[in-house]
């Protein structure tokens, strides 16, 4: 076996050293000779290929070497798509040394070796965060849907790649008259307006130990992804429900919903009073002429939901409990609990809110540029800066731009000053 240096990439002796080290780490030293002999032949063939042939053929060649069913290589065969195999690691190492990491990532995605490339990169301090592959970006929004209450209730999503959109909307209708013979028709026209949505940036920063990235890549990937899903979903809901409407944050529903559709809940919490509050909210929305009730539903804090569930008649019957527990509805409309609807609307307050509306009338403008990036040299922390390099960490950064608003301000109603279930905090 020659130690001659190739024009680019590893020599075979460097490859052998890498293979032996990886096999030792995996406890598979006994399989080394036969596997290395096969690898040498494949490596020689691969090294002589043109660059275009390498791109087309290296994945298939190494898949055959790893998965040919021989006893010596059987331990390297994948049992599931996310499993990291030593043969795949070798393929990724050699492909990256020749083709560069970007081409290798693309090739790995096409041929089923993405997990090996992620693990290979996670094993070095200079690339640990590449464990978060780009395909996660497309998944984040889908995974947010069941977590983010506003999305889950049926809000309409508009892809807005440009970052801003202006929508026309009708605020009032034309007037229609009964006429006598030869009567002139008085002119009228619908009242119109505009709804402008512009990109508001969301960001999350997740420091993670490089030890975890090196030793448990699959678990680390799942943990980071779930953390980002939760953080972005919560931030979205807070912005959509009670955002300040500043330059950098969406304007919340509490500011959009017209005053006539907001009212205070009953002061005395009992079955009769709470039922009246809920029906009043229904009437505020269903009484609007242009609301079609395509995706109606309630949104409230868990305390308020359990408070409604516990309302009972004088003879001890809980009329809401069975419907809420079995059907997931309140007065035949779906409800959703979220801690992003706060239990307290003011400092030291114990009063919450309940939202009701046709959530299909709420528009979410996604700019479709969810971005994940990583660094193992960044500093993070606003008041007490920490060095990822010094702490042997990789910092994952997620960015997304989004905005949201209702098409009609009377498509929603808000019950304010709600104290349903307050006694549960005692």
């Amino acid at each position: 076996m020659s130690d001659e240096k190739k024009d680019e990439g590893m020599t075979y002796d460097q490859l052998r050293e890498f293979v032996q080290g990886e096999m030792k780490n995996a406890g598979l030293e006994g399989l080394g000779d036969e596997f290395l002999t096969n690898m040498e032949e494949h490596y020689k063939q691969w090294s002589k290929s043109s660059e275009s042939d390498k791109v087309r053929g290296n994945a298939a060649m190494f898949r055959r070497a790893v998965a040919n069913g021989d006893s010596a290589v059987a331990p390297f065969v994948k049992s599931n798509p996310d499993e990291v195999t030593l043969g795949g690691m070798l393929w990724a190492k050699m492909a990256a040394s020749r083709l560069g990491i970007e081409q290798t990532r693309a090739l790995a995605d096409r041929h089923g070796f993405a997990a090996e490339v992620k693990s290979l990169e996670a094993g070095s301090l200079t690339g640990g965060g590449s464990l978060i592959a780009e395909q996660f970006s497309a998944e984040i929004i889908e995974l947010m849907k069941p977590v983010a209450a506003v999305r889950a209730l049926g809000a309409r999503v508009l892809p807005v790649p440009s970052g801003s959109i202006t929508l026309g909307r009708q605020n009032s209708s034309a007037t229609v008259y009964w006429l006598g013979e030869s009567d002139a028709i008085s002119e009228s026209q619908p009242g119109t307006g505009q709804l402008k949505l512009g990109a508001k940036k969301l960001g999350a920063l997740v420091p993670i130990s490089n030890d975890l990235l090196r030793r448990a890549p699959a678990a680390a990937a799942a943990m980071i992804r779930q953390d980002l899903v939760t953080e972005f979903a919560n931030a979205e809901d807070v912005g959509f429900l009670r955002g300040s409407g500043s330059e950098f944050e969406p304007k919340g529903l509490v500011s959009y919903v017209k005053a006539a559709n907001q009212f205070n809940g009953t002061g005395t919490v009992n079955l009769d009073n709470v039922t009246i509050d809920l029906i009043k909210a229904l009437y505020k929305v269903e009484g609007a002429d242009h609301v079609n009730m395509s995706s109606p539903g309630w949104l409230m804090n868990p305390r308020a939901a359990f408070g409604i569930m516990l309302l009972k008649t004088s003879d001890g019957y809980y009329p809401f409990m069975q419907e809420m527990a079995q059907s997931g509805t309140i007065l035949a409309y779906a409800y959703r609990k979220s801690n992003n609807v706060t239990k307290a609307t003011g400092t030291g307050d114990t009063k919450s809110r309940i939202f009701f509306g046709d959530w299909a009338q709420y528009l979410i403008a996604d700019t479709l540029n969810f971005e994940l990036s990583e660094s193992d040299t960044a500093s993070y922390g606003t008041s007490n800066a920490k060095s990822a390099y010094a702490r042997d960490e990789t910092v994952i950064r997620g960015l997304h731009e989004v905005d949201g608003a209702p098409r009609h301000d009377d498509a929603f109603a808000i019950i304010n000053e709600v104290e349903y279930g307050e006694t549960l905090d005692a």
Side-chain angles (χ1 to χ4, degrees), residues 15-46:
L15 173 65
R16 171 180 276 276
E17 183 179 351
F18 171 76
V19 172
Q20 289 172 330
E22 292 298 317
M23 296 183 80
K24 182 177 181 181
N25 291 338
L28 299 172
E29 298 98 317
L31 301 175
D33 292 341
E34 185 175 350
F35 185 74
L36 283 169
T37 300
N38 291 334
M39 286 299 303
E40 179 184 9
E41 294 304 316
H42 287 296
Y43 184 70
K44 287 179 179 178
Q45 295 176 37
W46 185 81

Side-chain angles (χ1 to χ4, degrees), residues 135-146 224-226 228-229 232 370 372 400:
Q135 64 258 32
F136 285 167
S137 298
E139 287 185 301
I140 293 291
I141 297 299
E142 296 302 315
L143 292 169
M144 280 176 59
K145 289 179 180 178
I224 296 169
R225 182 178 66 177
Q226 187 56 53
L228 286 169
V229 167
F232 277 88
F370 194 99
L372 293 180
H400 180 49

Side-chain angles (χ1 to χ4, degrees), residues 382-399:
T382 53
S383 59
N384 183 20
K386 302 176 181 67
S387 167
Y389 182 81
R391 297 164 68 92
D392 190 19
E393 293 176 334
T394 292
V395 180
I396 311 299
R397 186 187 69 186
L399 294 175

Side-chain angles (χ1 to χ4, degrees), residues 344-380:
T345 55
T347 303
D349 199 354
T350 59
K351 299 175 174 64
S352 186
R353 295 186 177 98
I354 291 179
F355 295 83
F356 178 77
D358 180 6
W359 295 91
Q361 294 289 334
Y362 193 89
L363 303 181
I364 296 175
D366 273 337
T367 63
L368 300 182
N369 68 339
F370 194 99
E371 175 185 292
L372 293 180
S373 59
E374 55 82 17
S375 172
D376 60 1
T377 60
S379 295
Y380 63 93

Side-chain angles (χ1 to χ4, degrees), residues 144 200-204 231-233 235-236 248 398-402:
M144 280 176 59
K200 312 289 186 181
K201 187 184 294 184
L202 276 174
E231 291 300 320
F232 277 88
E236 269 200 0
F248 307 114
L399 294 175
H400 180 49
E401 291 183 340
V402 69

Side-chain angles (χ1 to χ4, degrees), residues 137-402:
S137 298
E139 287 185 301
I140 293 291
I141 297 299
E142 296 302 315
L143 292 169
M144 280 176 59
K145 289 179 180 178
V147 180
V150 174
R151 289 180 185 264
L153 281 164
R156 294 170 58 194
V157 178
L158 302 175
V160 185
S162 66
S164 64
I165 187 172
T166 300
L167 303 170
R169 63 180 178 185
Q170 182 177 335
N171 296 328
S172 61
S173 302
T175 304
V176 178
Y177 301 93
W178 293 103
L179 301 172
E181 187 176 356
S182 301
D183 285 349
I185 303 174
S186 298
E187 69 276 7
S188 67
Q189 61 182 22
T192 59
Q194 290 184 329
L195 174 62
K196 296 183 178 181
L197 298 173
K200 312 289 186 181
K201 187 184 294 184
L202 276 174
L205 207 63
V206 183
I208 187 166
S209 165
N210 281 326
D211 287 343
L212 180 60
L213 292 177
R214 287 188 288 262
R215 296 168 186 168
M223 182 188 72
I224 296 169
R225 182 178 66 177
Q226 187 56 53
D227 186 68
L228 286 169
V229 167
T230 301
E231 291 300 320
F232 277 88
N234 287 337
E236 269 200 0
D237 274 348
V238 170
F240 294 159
L241 297 175
R242 48 190 170 91
S244 65
S246 67
E247 178 184 359
F248 307 114
E249 186 178 14
K251 181 179 176 181
L253 266 177
V254 294
S255 299
Y256 272 114
V257 175
K258 66 181 185 179
N261 278 33
Q262 299 197 41
F263 60 93
N264 291 343
T266 182
T268 303
V269 179
N270 58 45
L271 178 60
D272 288 341
N273 289 338
V274 173
T275 301
I276 291 171
D277 286 348
L278 298 175
I279 291 176
K280 185 176 180 180
L282 294 178
Y283 173 71
K284 294 287 187 182
V285 176
E286 292 199 46
D289 292 337
H290 50 264
V291 178
N292 296 321
M293 303 301 284
S294 300
S295 187
W298 305 92
L299 178 59
M300 62 192 72
N301 184 273
R303 187 185 70 183
F306 292 126
I308 295 172
M309 190 178 288
L310 288 172
L311 294 170
K312 61 182 178 180
T313 63
S314 58
D315 59 357
Y317 174 66
Y318 297 88
F320 285 105
M321 185 174 292
Q322 183 173 2
E323 179 190 4
M324 293 174 70
Q326 294 186 355
S327 303
T329 60
I330 296 175
L331 296 176
Y333 291 106
Y335 78 95
R336 191 169 184 87
K337 303 187 293 288
S338 173
N339 283 311
N340 293 318
V341 182
T342 58
K343 291 192 294 184
T345 55
T347 303
D349 199 354
T350 59
K351 299 175 174 64
S352 186
R353 295 186 177 98
I354 291 179
F355 295 83
F356 178 77
D358 180 6
W359 295 91
Q361 294 289 334
Y362 193 89
L363 303 181
I364 296 175
D366 273 337
T367 63
L368 300 182
N369 68 339
F370 194 99
E371 175 185 292
L372 293 180
S373 59
E374 55 82 17
S375 172
D376 60 1
T377 60
S379 295
Y380 63 93
T382 53
S383 59
N384 183 20
K386 302 176 181 67
S387 167
Y389 182 81
R391 297 164 68 92
D392 190 19
E393 293 176 334
T394 292
V395 180
I396 311 299
R397 186 187 69 186
L399 294 175
H400 180 49
E401 291 183 340
V402 69

